[in-house]
Amino acid sequence: MIRETLEKLSKEAAEQINEALAKENALEMLERIRVLYFGRKGKITELLKDVGKLSQAERPEAGSLVNQVKKSIEASLESAIQGAKKRKRESRLKSERLDVTLPGKSPKIGSLHPLTQIERDISAIFARFGFSVVRGPEVETDWYNFESLNIPKDHPSRDMQDTIYISNDLLLRTHTSPVQIRVMQQVKPPLRILCPGAVYRHDFDASHSPMFHQIEGLLVDEEVTFGDLKGVLGFFAREFFHESKVRFRPSFFPFTEPSAEMDIQCFICHGKGCVVCKQSGWMEILGCGMVDPSVFKHVGYDAERYQGFAFGIGIERPAMLKLGIPDIRLFFDNDVRFLRQFQ
Ligand code: PHE
């Protein structure tokens, strides 16, 4: 009796296992078969319980028969499960295969900000005369920004309207000229320095930004004349703007005497007059002059022995002119669509 039942059961199990193996979800089906035979109410489990109920005489043989069949079904189930797992792994490997010969995504490479590029271009021109780059703090004291530069207490640039104050004595530097003072306090002449950096003023529209950049230049030596100033700055204009005509207009700065502003002939219309130069034929580029002896006194230089010239170039305006940028604010929005154009 039990022999027949067991034979039938083995055959059934073998068929079910084969069927399961043919299915997409073979592993799931095999697990179901395992429960069907060996679960708490599984067919083999029940048979083993029945064996327990047999008489002492019948039990050993029946028990060994059931155990044999149990082992054989277990073994074929186990090998079926292993086979199904292997197949699953292989099909995953196949479907997830990476084609390493496909072209990759090239990383986007950043570039220097256009203002940094212009600052470096300008510095490189003056480097040929032996000027080296020095930087100073953007938060300054009243003394460095104004007093030492001979800017009197009632000068309009000291007004709250123009200067951004942090406290009574501290402010955001309104120009790069205080770096001149800091360097002269530490270094004896002769010296040739360029001081690039950010400066701050109360101003904001299409051509003014509350933060903008300047490059200060200072040369101090014996027997320096206004002719030297004209020679060096004229050379700069030719190199940077490729425009040979410059003119010096008399001007005033408290820390230089005499003072001047340098214009270049408009490199768009070459002097005929156009929208860029507002029909004047000229473009204003920088302020300059011979260092006022009173500035030398503030830093302990012998004003009888030494002379010097200084200049201050705004970086944004030449950059806008050269790169054809209509609005200063574009420099500071940091829109990559804008910045990418200057790679
Ligand atoms: N510091 C001046 C300004 O910001 C520019 C300048 C520098 C003029 C050096 C003369 C000499 O306007």
Side-chain angles (χ1 to χ4, degrees), residues 174-177 180 201 214 216-217 253 255-256 287-289 310-312:
T174 59
H175 51 179
T176 40
S177 303
Q180 288 186 30
R201 293 179 197 177
Q214 289 188 329
E216 188 84 8
F253 299 102
F255 36 92
T256 48
C288 56
F311 51 91

Side-chain angles (χ1 to χ4, degrees), residues 77-217:
L77 198 58
E78 182 55 26
S79 91
I81 289 172
Q82 291 310 326
K85 276 189 180 160
K86 195 171 158 215
R87 268 206 339 243
K88 195 173 170 186
R89 203 161 43 234
E90 271 162 9
S91 88
R92 241 185 79 190
L93 280 176
K94 215 176 265 170
S95 68
E96 291 177 4
R97 192 164 63 193
L98 213 61
D99 184 352
V100 292
T101 64
L102 284 173
K105 283 186 199 154
S106 51
K108 290 215 162 55
I109 296 173
S111 57
L112 292 176
H113 192 279
L115 290 177
T116 307
Q117 293 180 31
I118 295 284
E119 181 196 300
R120 292 194 182 180
D121 290 350
I122 296 176
S123 304
I125 294 169
F126 287 101
R128 288 153 73 182
F129 287 107
F131 284 78
S132 51
V133 170
V134 187
R135 289 174 194 271
E138 291 173 24
V139 175
E140 267 300 4
T141 63
D142 178 273
W143 191 81
Y144 280 107
N145 197 79
F146 294 127
E147 203 68 38
S148 63
L149 288 161
N150 212 27
I151 302 174
K153 285 264 188 276
D154 60 358
H155 194 277
S157 71
R158 288 196 167 206
D159 198 286
M160 293 276 285
Q161 295 291 316
D162 299 293
T163 300
I164 300 167
Y165 284 91
I166 290 173
S167 68
N168 253 346
D169 188 48
L170 282 180
L171 46 85
L172 294 181
R173 67 180 178 192
T174 59
H175 51 179
T176 40
S177 303
V179 189
Q180 288 186 30
I181 305 292
R182 289 185 174 272
V183 172
M184 285 193 282
Q185 281 179 328
Q186 286 175 18
V187 184
K188 295 270 152 276
L191 62 86
R192 296 170 185 204
I193 53 161
L194 278 187
C195 323
V199 301
Y200 301 83
R201 293 179 197 177
H202 268 298
D203 239 338
F204 199 30
D205 59 40
S207 52
H208 295 89
S209 157
M211 188 272 306
F212 59 103
H213 298 81
Q214 289 188 329
I215 298 187
E216 188 84 8

